């Protein structure tokens, strides 16, 4: 049985390794795009979901490159991901 891939990082399962497709910030925080890209969330990069906070699964602990970050759910929702290395323009 094949499961649907998560659309964004907030939907990813613990232990899942994905590839970043891009970053789209919400209108209330446009600076998030630059910030997330500066810390490594660039198209094609691998990202691994390590843990989730309790209760409510917020924040997410993710590893990208050699760095580990805690992202709030709202920030993780900005990061589009795929299970393949495909990068969409």
């Amino acid at each position: 049985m094949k499961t649907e891939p998560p659309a964004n990082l907030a939907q990813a399962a613990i232990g899942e390794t994905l590839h970043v497709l891009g970053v789209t910030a919400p209108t209330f925080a446009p600076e998030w795009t630059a910030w997330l890209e500066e810390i490594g969330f660039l198209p094609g990069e691998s990202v691994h979901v390590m843990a989730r906070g309790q209760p409510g699964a917020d924040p997410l602990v993710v590893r990208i490159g050699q760095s580990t970050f805690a992202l709030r759910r709202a920030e993780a929702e900005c990061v589009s991901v795929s299970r393949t290395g495909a990068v969409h323009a």
Side-chain angles (χ1 to χ4, degrees), residues 2-3 5 9 13-14 17 25 28-29 35-37 47 58-59 70 72-74 77 82 85 87:
K2 196 172 187 181
T3 60
L9 193 53
I14 293 172
T17 298
F28 64 85
W35 172 70
L36 287 164
E37 289 173 348
V47 59
D58 200 11
R72 295 175 291 187
R73 177 178 293 279
E77 287 174 347
S82 73
V87 177

Side-chain angles (χ1 to χ4, degrees), residues 55-85:
D58 200 11
L60 284 75
V61 179
V62 298
R63 184 161 190 85
I64 190 156
Q66 298 299 312
S67 301
T68 303
F69 298 98
L71 297 180
R72 295 175 291 187
R73 177 178 293 279
E75 296 161 344
E77 287 174 347
C78 298
V79 182
S80 299
V81 294
S82 73
R83 287 199 177 118
T84 67

